[in-house]
Amino acid sequence: MSAMNLSFLRQVWTHLIRPYWTSEDKWIAFALLGGHLFLMGVFIYITVVINYINNDIFTALQEFDLNAFLSYLGIFSLYACLAIACFTTKNYLLQR
């Protein structure tokens, strides 16, 4: 890195980042950051489960199994609602 980049990063640290993370509001900031990271992990887990359910749905369609298809469709809708709730909560936390 050049000297200009290092001085810029030092200025950003001393004037922008350090005062925020060392103020009285740091615990709120840590809680919001932790909540955001937790919800991102939950959202990623839910999307992975939805991908496996999609595989089961298309397998049931391929085998013309109506009962399995309807069962997996119900499970998919449940996980989709959870994903929407997790995503909107995460976005709400980011706006605070």
Side-chain angles (χ1 to χ4, degrees):
M1 284 189 151
S2 68
M4 187 176 92
N5 286 340
L6 288 176
S7 74
F8 172 73
L9 291 175
R10 189 175 300 118
Q11 287 176 355
V12 167
W13 171 256
T14 58
H15 297 295
L16 184 65
I17 298 173
R18 187 178 62 182
Y20 183 73
W21 289 104
T22 57
S23 70
E24 293 178 5
D25 295 332
K26 68 180 176 184
W27 297 114
I28 295 171
F30 281 127
L32 288 174
L33 178 64
H36 173 73
L37 292 176
F38 174 74
L39 288 173
M40 279 302 298
V42 170
F43 185 72
I44 290 169
Y45 172 77
I46 290 172
T47 55
V48 168
V49 170
I50 286 175
N51 283 328
Y52 282 114
I53 293 171
N54 278 337
N55 181 27
D56 294 335
I57 287 173
F58 283 107
T59 302
L61 281 173
Q62 205 171 17
E63 295 174 355
F64 300 109
D65 189 359
L66 181 62
N67 292 332
F69 172 74
L70 293 176
S71 172
Y72 289 128
L73 199 60
I75 294 170
F76 173 81
S77 62
L78 175 70
Y79 276 103
C81 289
L82 287 174
I84 291 169
C86 181
F87 189 73
T88 54
T89 305
K90 181 186 73 71
N91 283 340
Y92 173 74
L93 288 178
L94 283 177
Q95 291 175 1
R96 296 195 80 207

